[in-house]
Amino acid sequence: MTEESLVSQVYYYQDVKCRDEMFDKDVIMLLIAASKMDPNHFLMLVLLRFELFDIFNGNSSSKDQEVLKQWNRLTEEMLYLIIIIVGERYVPGISHVTKEDVTMREVIHLLCIQPMAHSSLVKSLPENESHETGLETVISKVAIFKKPGVSGHGLYELKKECLKEFNPFFYHYSRPQHSKAEEAQKKRRTQESSDKALRPPVPPPFCPAFSNIVYLLCCDIFIHILKRIFQKAAEDRSNRWTEPMIQRALHLVGQALLEEKTQLESSSTEEVTFDFSLKAQKSGSEHGKSLFHFLTRIKSLPSLKAQNDMIMWNLQMFEVVKCLREKSGPVASFSVDHSTLEESVQDKEKAERKRKAEAAKAHRQKIMAQMSAMQKNFIESNKMLYDNVPESSSQSDTAASVDSFRMDVDESRVAVGPQQGVCSTDWEAQICILCQEEQEVQAQAPAMVLTACVQRSTVLTQNRGKTLSPKVGSYPLFMPPDLAVGTHTGSCGHVMHATCWQKYFEAVQNTTRNRLHADLIIDLENGEYMCPLCKSLCNTVIPLIPVESSKLNYESAELVGQHLTLERWIQILSSRIRGLRGTWETDNNAEEAAEEATALFDESQAEFRSILSFGVQEPPKFSRSITEMLGVCATTVHRVGLQTAPNDLCPYMPVMSWNTCAYTIQAIENMLQEEGKPLFGSLQNRQLSGIKALVQFSAAQRLKSSQAVIQKHFADMLAVLVPVPNVENTPSILEVDFFHLLVGLVLSIPALYQEEAVDLQPSAVSTAYNHLYLLHLLTMTHMLQVLLASHDCAVIGGPGEGDEAQAAAELFSIVSQHTDRLRAGVTGFCVEGVKRGVLPFLRCAALFFNCLTGVPPPEELSGTAESPESQLHLLCSYLSLPSNLFQLFQDHRDVVTTLIKRWCENTAISKALKGEMQIIRYPHKRNRLIDLPEDYSVLLNQASHFKCPNSSDDERKHPTLCLLCGVMLCAQSPCCQEQLNGEEVGACTAHAAICGAGVGMFLRVRECEIILMASKTRGSPYPAPYLDDYGETDPQLGRGNPLHLYPERYRKLFHMWQQHCVLEEIARSLELLNVMFPFEWQML
């Protein structure tokens, strides 16, 4: 027999599928033999079989350690066999049990290891001739079903009343199962403050034909074997005994005492012939060598401390049996002794804890006394240092008065405009997760970077299936309002030194190239790596840049505000752009655009450098490493967002940084709105640090890029709002997402202050008014956008309904003058509808300015989620907007009336209102995964009727459902392959490229399995959200149980997609799998 076949035979000998006909039958044969033979004779044959007869007879000795180890091992196995013969009597016909009792006992011992799923229990139980386990008839009697959460299975937990049936030496346990069960039960008893004695259970009585087996426990040979084992331990001959040997011997003593106790309780003392306790106490007692004597001695051995509870329980059982024989109230005696034992143990523990607490208190008092003495000595020896204490206190009073003034200003909690509050938060000192060194975040310090992952996203799309390209339309400078495809940047929030990250990244590249199928986990060519700490997928880093402190002089700001009106501000910008146009490319129609601007606004008083008169300052200077990291992050955002090769000279580099900043903020606002959480105070630290770093990084992009390029971008974007010289063919207000426009304008306007010989940027006062007027203009334009895109609504009320209604009516009157022929029959609009449509824009703006300026928001926005009405009021206060948004049109009437005419007379507006162009409604609908049927059989029925659109044969197909749009696809079939970037790919891969910008989430109906896809080469399976009645999934539909939708699981899938965690989930699952033969995901 070869070694492999022997190992295989040993495995199947006790395997659940074969043990009924092999191992269990051998045990029954031993039980039959034990019942027919004299107990002493039977045990002597067992000793001979194990070659231990001479050992226990005292005729053999050896000093060879290997021989001694072998004898100890054989002794353990022999004792285990005796435990099985005496205790494992759960066989119908051998003892008074039924098949149901046998199954119940199997289930109890399986659940003693750990709570188990239904399928695991079924696999661990033997089947009868009908391939049934009998689990259903007994499981409710012994276990409680715990429903599953958002992950894992439904589990059965053992009822407490069934724990008494636990046998630590259950004969169907494997070695690992025995260890796990013993550890689990000891842990449970510790938690319940019980002793750790794992007592043998009370077995059922043998049938008459097998009743003689119990006398194995009281025969002379049995007593002799146990006595010799305990004697070796008592004499501390450590090489002659082992703890498992003592554990088995104690278990056998417990079995014998339980048997004797059972017989004494059911019969009179004269009728009971089972006399284990008498023999154990009397045999050898004249020489002080009885079994009971040795058992009493080993309880004090330090090496057997773990078995001390079991020894004490056995000694108590001796007392119980003794009382039963003397008929002197055994039950009361046992309970009193047991409770007294527990109380004494608890008292000792309490006393020990009290002693340690007192010692710790005394030690602390001693330390405090020493520190107090040292302080007194220092003060006495350095009196000169404390002479100026009154002066310092007066200085602190002055500082306190300044702080109180600042608090008064800051109480307004305004992030925009001349009343802007003080920045209260900046980066704390950060600890590098690689070198563990702490460093402050400073502009001139070495760069600290945040791990980040940039990916294309369709989470916010209002037009699924649409793709964006720089070659089509005005993208990426202007994001379409349908947000078809955006660039999202997420972070796990872990910080490193830039140098540490570079070394780590180089090491990852060197080690990963030699790994099998490493390209399936991370794409080295595109700069991907796993976060060193949390193993999240990343492909770039964001440099941490300190928030630029804005020390606003409120008196100066008020004076500036008296002269710098919105009209004057527009004139100044127009004049500045006219003067800078020489640095840009000239346009043939520049004169015509300039004439239009001159006709709208009188620029006679505006000079080229008048923009500088309201305050300038020197821009911040960054260290070389921060500048380098700005380039690294910008390059990744540009490459991923536009799906193009890296190009540092591309003029869209800063634009893509602004776009990913805007899109990420919109995605976070959408997530918070979906979950009903407040705008501030509910973000996780990783999300908060990530968005803050992203905003500051986007703001710093203008310092690294060409100022002429930034100025040109600003002029092009501003042309959507006001006439700008030298700019033509700008999109209409219905073709632009205004939050993307806000971010781009706010972050690029400082470039207008650049002079040829001097680097300049606006002062705090200039910045405040720039932000204020940009926000006012964009808010009014967005309100008009919402109004033009809204459905026909009921007529608003008359003038008696308040200022808001009057201002809204006046706005509609102006708009209708320019669109009346196109909107014939529409006589009013819904004020609340416009406010609801503008609310997401204001929420995003609040998040953006909070991260940009560091001014804390009103506390109400950080608490529980506010109602839309109160939320709008708080947001307007924080953003320096009037609570009645329609009042903006009244405040800037002279300017806005002319602008409204320009906005509404755009040819694109005419097409949209005629229905010739798609109009995006506001607020945007929040995207979710498709609705799935509650019963999985409905999906199977749909799949059975699915016909491949490109094939007419009856070949079995793989119908696969897209969870983003609901389309049924023919997966893994050559008939539906398509060309994608010149490569043949499967239907799912091609669909994911269009529907999810490369990210896909599919349900394979006939396999009941979710497939997550991240690119043409990467994907991973994921459990379907359908569970059976036992809380388990059924991949490949192997078990065939009815399946029902579990909403919490499906919601978890939705959150994974909404929070852009699909790539991360795929990378982590592939990291855990040892992929030998990679799946061709591109063919799915």
Side-chain angles (χ1 to χ4, degrees), residues 40-61 71 74-75 78 221 224-225 228 232:
N40 287 309
H41 186 202
F42 180 82
L43 286 179
M44 282 192 287
L45 289 176
V46 170
L47 287 170
L48 288 170
R49 273 301 195 187
F50 279 90
E51 299 181 0
L52 293 173
F53 189 87
D54 291 337
I55 304 301
F56 283 94
N57 199 26
N59 296 331
S60 179
S61 61
W71 286 348
L74 288 171
T75 303
M78 182 195 67
I221 299 296
H224 176 75
I225 291 172
R228 290 297 299 269
K232 293 175 183 178

Side-chain angles (χ1 to χ4, degrees), residues 5 61 72 416 517 592 633 700 714 871 912 936 967 1024:
S5 61
S61 61
N72 291 338
V416 180
H517 306 311
E592 183 180 342
C633 186
F714 176 82
Q871 195 176 107
Y936 194 71
V967 172

Side-chain angles (χ1 to χ4, degrees), residues 453 521-522 528-530 535-538 1018 1063-1064 1067:
C453 180
I521 305 173
I522 56 176
E528 291 184 353
Y529 62 97
M530 306 289 277
K535 300 303 178 185
S536 296
L537 184 68
C538 308
R1018 279 190 295 187
L1063 274 73
E1064 181 179 327

Side-chain angles (χ1 to χ4, degrees), residues 903-923:
W903 295 333
C904 292
E905 289 180 352
N906 190 294
T907 55
I909 302 290
S910 303
K911 290 182 180 180
L913 295 179
K914 288 178 180 178
E916 298 175 3
M917 188 178 78
Q918 182 186 9
I919 299 179
I920 303 301
R921 310 292 179 182
Y922 295 89

Side-chain angles (χ1 to χ4, degrees), residues 30-163:
L30 285 171
L31 289 170
I32 294 172
S35 67
K36 300 299 182 183
M37 295 175 64
D38 176 72
N40 287 309
H41 186 202
F42 180 82
L43 286 179
M44 282 192 287
L45 289 176
V46 170
L47 287 170
L48 288 170
R49 273 301 195 187
F50 279 90
E51 299 181 0
L52 293 173
F53 189 87
D54 291 337
I55 304 301
F56 283 94
N57 199 26
N59 296 331
S60 179
S61 61
S62 174
K63 294 184 179 180
D64 189 341
Q65 294 298 319
E66 292 300 321
V67 174
L68 293 175
K69 286 181 181 179
Q70 184 179 354
W71 286 348
N72 291 338
R73 182 66 184 143
L74 288 171
T75 303
E76 292 172 13
E77 291 297 328
M78 182 195 67
L79 293 175
Y80 180 55
L81 178 63
I82 298 173
I83 290 173
I84 292 175
I85 294 171
V86 176
E88 298 300 340
R89 54 184 83 169
Y90 281 80
V91 180
I94 291 180
S95 65
H96 297 288
V97 294
T98 62
K99 288 186 177 180
E100 185 176 309
D101 295 331
V102 176
T103 304
M104 194 180 302
R105 186 166 184 262
E106 293 280 348
V107 173
I108 287 173
H109 281 83
L110 287 171
L111 294 180
C112 280
I113 302 172
Q114 62 185 7
M116 297 180 72
H118 182 271
S119 59
S120 300
L121 285 171
V122 170
K123 291 177 183 177
S124 302
L125 292 174
E127 296 178 347
N128 58 16
E129 300 80 6
S130 304
H131 301 288
E132 295 178 351
T133 61
L135 176 64
E136 306 302 330
T137 59
V138 303
I139 190 64
S140 60
K141 299 177 183 178
V142 300
I144 302 171
F145 181 68
K146 299 290 186 181
K147 292 184 178 181
V150 294
S151 61
H153 306 295
L155 298 174
Y156 283 103
E157 288 187 0
L158 190 64
K159 293 181 178 178
K160 286 188 176 182
E161 57 266 26
C162 297
L163 290 167

